[in-house]
Amino acid sequence: QVQLVESGGGLVQAGGSLRLSCAASGRTFTMAWFRQAPGKEREFVARINLSGSTTYADSVKGRFTISRDNKNTMYLQMVSLKPEDTAVYYCAASKISLGTNSAVSVVYDYWGPGTQVTVSS
């Protein structure tokens, strides 16, 4: 069983930046970030495979950058933050390499507890 732990959330003004981290206790394949705002469904943010290939939600393209190192840690660099980016951000990981279905939350095997990101206007 792989455990995921997020860190780096906080309160930032609109236009500011934050860097989230997700540390995995074991080997994973596809890793991703999802977010859930109050009263809304959990939504896909970005994902990265072991090969380094990435996919982003249209709402964050050009502002967020997902990356991972070779020690099972994933990052999400967020710049030009907007109030609508306010949400709990979750790290997710899979046991196998995911393809075109990697934006769907149910295909991920492991989840972190989440970290709050609040962007004030």
Side-chain angles (χ1 to χ4, degrees):
Q1 184 77 6
V2 174
Q3 293 185 329
L4 305 176
V5 179
E6 304 97 338
S7 61
L11 173 64
V12 64
Q13 288 187 334
S17 302
L18 280 175
R19 188 192 195 206
L20 305 183
S21 299
C22 171
S25 63
R27 181 178 175 83
T28 60
F29 288 83
T30 300
M31 296 186 77
W33 290 98
F34 287 78
R35 66 186 182 185
Q36 188 166 18
K40 295 187 177 181
E41 294 188 353
R42 190 169 298 188
E43 66 173 2
F44 169 76
V45 175
R47 72 98 171 118
I48 184 167
N49 283 340
L50 274 178
S51 64
S53 66
T54 58
T55 302
Y56 295 91
D58 288 343
S59 59
V60 306
K61 280 182 182 176
R63 300 188 299 119
F64 290 11
T65 302
I66 190 171
S67 62
R68 65 190 295 175
D69 63 16
N70 57 4
K71 296 182 180 179
N72 297 321
T73 301
M74 175 179 65
Y75 306 95
L76 186 68
Q77 179 68 50
M78 307 184 291
V79 301
S80 301
L81 282 162
K82 305 175 182 180
E84 51 263 44
D85 294 318
T86 295
V88 177
Y89 282 70
Y90 296 93
C91 169
S94 66
K95 296 178 182 178
I96 61 174
S97 184
L98 302 176
T100 56
N101 61 344
S102 60
V104 180
S105 62
V106 295
V107 303
Y108 288 89
D109 303 291
Y110 309 112
W111 289 86
T115 185
Q116 177 70 46
V117 171
T118 303
V119 184
S120 63
S121 58

